[in-house]
Amino acid sequence: MNFNFAIDILAYMLPVLALILINNYYFKRILQLQTNINRSLHNQVQQSTNNTDQLKLQALERLTLLVERIDLQNLVLRVANLSQDKESYMLSLIQHINQEVDYNITQQLYVSDTLWNILTKNKQTICSTIEQVCQDSSIQDTIAFQQALLEKALFLKQHSALALQAIKTEAKTIL
């Protein structure tokens, strides 16, 4: 009787043990797959962060070029004086500044609002200085206008330097 009882218990226990082993195998497999998925997602997030940082650094490079290109001294030396009318030359300088800013307008997506405001103020300061110098009645022709702008450019170097410093500070936060 004991022998039959042992066989009956064994008959009930073998399917249970087989079921436990099969479930254990599948649960380990599911956990392994989930771990692989989590690693893959983590790697994608890490790669996405690296790509975003690269885009931000490229935007900062472009904005550095923008500051250099709209710097009053560089602008006066770069933009040709095609007429003797100082008003048309003033409009040409302001148009060049606006074109440079418009070309780089999308870079504001990658930088802080504070930095973009500094760059916008730098642009506005340069444009208003050009307009103020043009309104000076003692300046009659474009040659005198250019010379007066170059003299004012020394004052505006501080604004450009501030903008460049803000760009460098933001770049350090990324690096």
Side-chain angles (χ1 to χ4, degrees):
M1 182 92 164
N2 285 337
F3 182 71
N4 285 338
F5 181 70
I7 289 179
D8 284 344
I9 290 178
L10 191 58
Y12 287 115
M13 293 298 286
L14 279 178
V16 171
L17 287 174
L19 190 60
I20 290 173
L21 290 175
I22 290 171
N23 282 338
N24 189 25
Y25 171 78
Y26 281 116
F27 281 130
K28 282 184 179 179
R29 185 78 175 132
I30 288 170
L31 286 174
Q32 184 181 21
L33 289 173
Q34 188 63 39
T35 303
N36 289 342
I37 289 170
N38 288 344
R39 280 188 196 135
S40 175
L41 289 174
H42 178 71
N43 289 340
Q44 287 176 356
V45 167
Q46 189 68 26
Q47 186 177 13
S48 173
T49 302
N50 290 341
N51 289 342
T52 304
D53 287 347
Q54 289 175 349
L55 289 173
K56 287 179 181 180
L57 287 173
Q58 289 173 355
L60 293 171
E61 289 173 5
R62 298 268 330 137
L63 293 175
T64 301
L65 287 172
L66 169 69
V67 170
E68 291 296 330
R69 289 185 61 83
I70 67 170
D71 179 65
L72 191 54
Q73 182 178 3
N74 295 339
L75 191 67
V76 169
L77 296 174
R78 190 176 73 249
V79 176
N81 179 10
L82 300 177
S83 72
Q84 293 297 325
D85 183 30
K86 68 179 183 177
E87 283 82 14
S88 64
Y89 186 59
M90 174 198 71
L91 293 174
S92 177
L93 290 173
I94 292 174
Q95 180 184 12
H96 274 80
I97 291 171
N98 288 330
Q99 285 174 347
E100 288 290 335
V101 172
D102 289 345
Y103 182 75
N104 291 291
I105 196 83
T106 58
Q107 306 306 320
Q108 70 179 311
L109 295 173
Y110 302 105
V111 299
S112 67
D113 290 338
T114 305
L115 176 59
W116 188 253
N117 289 336
I118 290 171
L119 295 172
T120 304
K121 282 185 180 179
N122 185 43
K123 173 208 170 220
Q124 291 169 345
T125 303
I126 293 170
C127 289
S128 65
T129 301
I130 292 170
E131 290 169 352
Q132 287 172 359
V133 171
C134 185
Q135 291 173 358
D136 187 352
S137 60
S138 66
I139 299 172
Q140 298 299 319
D141 60 357
T142 54
I143 302 295
F145 182 51
Q146 283 179 321
Q147 290 173 346
L149 287 174
L150 290 174
E151 290 171 6
K152 288 283 190 176
L154 297 175
F155 166 73
L156 293 178
K157 282 287 185 190
Q158 296 170 350
H159 292 280
S160 295
L162 175 68
L164 290 173
Q165 185 60 41
I167 291 171
K168 288 177 186 177
T169 301
E170 189 145 332
K172 287 178 184 176
T173 62
I174 295 171
L175 299 174

